[in-house]
Every structure is written in C-alpha cells, then in structure tokens.
Amino acid sequence: MAFTAKDVMALRERTGAGVMDCKKALTDADGDMDKAADLLRERGIAKADKKASRIAAEGIVACYIEGNVGVLIELNCESDFVAKNPQFLEIANECAKVVVACNPADVEALLACNTAEGSTVEEFLKSKIAVIGEKIAVRRFVRYESEGFLESYIHLGGKLGVILDMAGEATDAAKEVAHDVTLQIAFTKPAYLTKEEVPADVIENEKNVLLNQALNEGKPQAIAEKMVFGRIKKFYEENCLLEQAFIKDDSKKICELLKSGNTSIAKFAFFVMGEGLEKKSEDLSEEVAKQVAAMKN
C-alpha cells in the first residue's frame, strides 16, 4: 500500500514521532497507519495513541436534557463563523428535542421525524440552510433515558460534549460527583467504563505491542512478559473510567470518588466535534455535503 507525504505528517501528528521515524514505520507497515503507529510504540518512539482524528468540518456538540431523557448531538456546518452563531445552537437544540420525543434509531430516521411545528427535520434543516447559506447536517447523536439522573458538560463552546447517566438518587453529593466525573471524561476521554468492557482483541493487541516494546528495549523474554502485566494495568488506568485517577485528587480513583457520593455510573458518552472525519484540509465541507445530499432531491 503506497503512502504520501501527507500520510507521514498525519502519523507524526498522531504519534509525536519524528518525520523519518514515521516514514520508516509506514514503509515497514506497507502504508497501514494503525500498524505503523503500533510499530512506533513497539520501538519506544511513540506513546499510546487514542486515534484522535483530524477535525474535517466545523460545527458544535450540544446537549439537551428534558426530565430523565437526554441527548448529546453533533451538528456540522461549513464555517467556524456559523458554528459560533447562537442561532446554530438553537438548531442543534431543536433537532435534539425531536430525538427526545421520537427516539429515532439513527440520523436517517431522525430526518423523517416531525418537529413541534409539523415539518420534518429534513425540511427544517433545509429552511435553515436557505437562511444561513451554508450546508448544515446532523452527524450523530446518542439518547439516554435514565432511571437515575443525567449530567452533562459542554467544553470550549461546543468543541467537546459529555453526557452521563447516573444510577441512584440525585442527592447534592451525587450531583457534585457527577459534575466532577463529566470534567474527568472531558479531560481524559476514556474509551471504556470498566475493565470488563475492553474487548479481548484490543487487550491481545496491546499485550503484543507491549511485549515487543519490552523486547526491543533489550529485556529477556521472561522479564518482558512480567513487564507486560504491569503495563497492561497502566493501560486500564488510562482507558477505563472507573480505574482512572481523579484529576482533582490523584490519590483516589473514580470508583472511590463515586463511593464517596454514594452513587454509580450506568453509562456515558462523549463527542469531540469532527472526530473521525479524516479528510484532506481542502475538503473540509465534503463530509457535510455528503450528509445533506439527500436534501437536494
């Protein structure tokens, strides 16, 4: 698989490794970006990578909560100027209200749902596109219906959003803990809630990377295998929310923080605006254009 200079720079941004190291890793990995990132880690050149993608569209992440139902939603547009307009947040909230009311299965189903005014979401967005003059599209959403209570946090005016479904009663102590946990999630971006949620193939791949890393450091096989055990523990501490050290007090874990508030977490989600849209910088609007192509019919 061939690779370009842009691929080298993308790997450099992703791993923090030098240009020549990235080029060699891509060559050895036959152009496979994920394999190249693993090779750089095995060689001790790059740190663990959460695969954060380049932002390839403008927009916001917003959260709307109504009673025990909450929605985290990402709405894309073409320019930062429009994304910062208060009207754009209102559009996101209107779409989220429909998700609360209709519980659509996906974005396509959402577009066919009716707003409170009677038009479909697709028609509603078309009308806003006509006024604003830019393509607008709902990219994704998650809907939580809680048996306990919900907490949310929006960072940097919509560049990142968190929604948290808490189990149990919404006491003052529990709500304070929930707020701290939303900040924790925004800061650390955990991939999982518990160790048990980590897929077996993810752990197996991580063990292989860590073993090769230790062997490349010159450690004997037996010592390297023991080192993997300790480093896997660190993997859980970095990637599993309940295993993480609390950012405000690293002497306690999140699981201990929850006990202090006599509460627990049912589930959580966070969106980083634009995450996963890996497009060339000159094609920033392409993803949005594809999402709204159906509206042109």
Side-chain angles (χ1 to χ4, degrees), residues 10-29:
L11 183 62
R12 185 174 186 274
E13 289 176 11
R14 174 171 162 175
T15 63
V19 172
M20 295 309 296
D21 289 323
C22 290
K23 186 175 180 181
K24 187 175 190 309
L26 280 166
T27 300
D28 294 343

Side-chain angles (χ1 to χ4, degrees), residues 11 14-15 32-41 46 49:
L11 183 62
R14 174 171 162 175
T15 63
D32 187 301
M33 190 72 73
D34 289 340
K35 286 183 181 178
D38 283 344
L39 284 174
L40 288 169
R41 289 185 59 208
D49 151 49

Side-chain angles (χ1 to χ4, degrees), residues 10-221:
L11 183 62
R12 185 174 186 274
E13 289 176 11
R14 174 171 162 175
T15 63
V19 172
M20 295 309 296
D21 289 323
C22 290
K23 186 175 180 181
K24 187 175 190 309
L26 280 166
T27 300
D28 294 343
D30 195 27
D32 187 301
M33 190 72 73
D34 289 340
K35 286 183 181 178
D38 283 344
L39 284 174
L40 288 169
R41 289 185 59 208
E42 290 174 10
R43 294 165 184 174
I45 297 170
K47 295 182 179 179
D49 151 49
K50 292 192 177 182
K51 300 180 183 177
S53 301
R54 246 183 1 213
I55 292 175
E58 295 298 338
I60 59 169
V61 175
C63 187
Y64 176 78
I65 295 175
E66 188 175 305
N68 69 329
V69 182
V71 172
L72 189 68
I73 191 166
E74 180 180 344
L75 188 70
N76 291 150
C77 59
E78 294 180 83
S79 71
D80 187 51
F81 176 78
V82 167
K84 289 179 178 178
N85 190 315
Q87 185 182 3
F88 193 70
L89 176 59
E90 291 175 10
I91 297 170
N93 284 336
E94 285 301 315
C95 293
K97 288 177 184 178
V98 177
V99 176
V100 168
C102 300
N103 193 17
D106 51 30
V107 171
E108 185 177 357
L110 171 62
L111 293 176
C113 292
N114 287 334
T115 66
E117 286 71 31
S119 66
T120 66
V121 171
E122 181 175 0
E123 291 167 341
F124 168 71
L125 290 176
K126 278 184 178 179
S127 69
K128 297 303 178 182
I129 291 169
V131 173
I132 292 174
E134 282 194 9
K135 298 180 180 71
I136 301 170
V138 177
R139 180 171 174 240
R140 53 180 171 167
F141 63 82
V142 64
R143 180 185 187 273
Y144 284 168
E145 190 162 347
S146 179
E147 295 182 1
F149 66 97
L150 297 166
E151 182 68 34
S152 66
Y153 173 68
I154 300 297
H155 188 58
L156 292 176
K159 296 301 183 185
L160 182 151
V162 177
I163 188 168
L164 185 62
D165 181 3
M166 301 294 292
E169 188 179 352
T171 63
D172 288 343
K175 288 192 288 186
E176 183 178 351
V177 166
H179 177 68
D180 281 338
V181 172
T182 61
L183 299 180
Q184 176 87 19
I185 294 168
F187 183 76
T188 63
K189 303 178 182 63
Y192 311 98
L193 177 60
T194 67
K195 293 191 293 185
E196 291 72 26
E197 288 182 5
V198 185
D201 61 325
V202 171
I203 291 298
E204 190 60 31
N205 181 71
E206 187 67 17
K207 285 181 177 178
N208 288 335
V209 169
L210 294 174
L211 179 62
N212 288 325
Q213 189 180 85
L215 292 172
N216 287 335
E217 291 170 1
K219 303 294 191 297
Q221 180 78 24

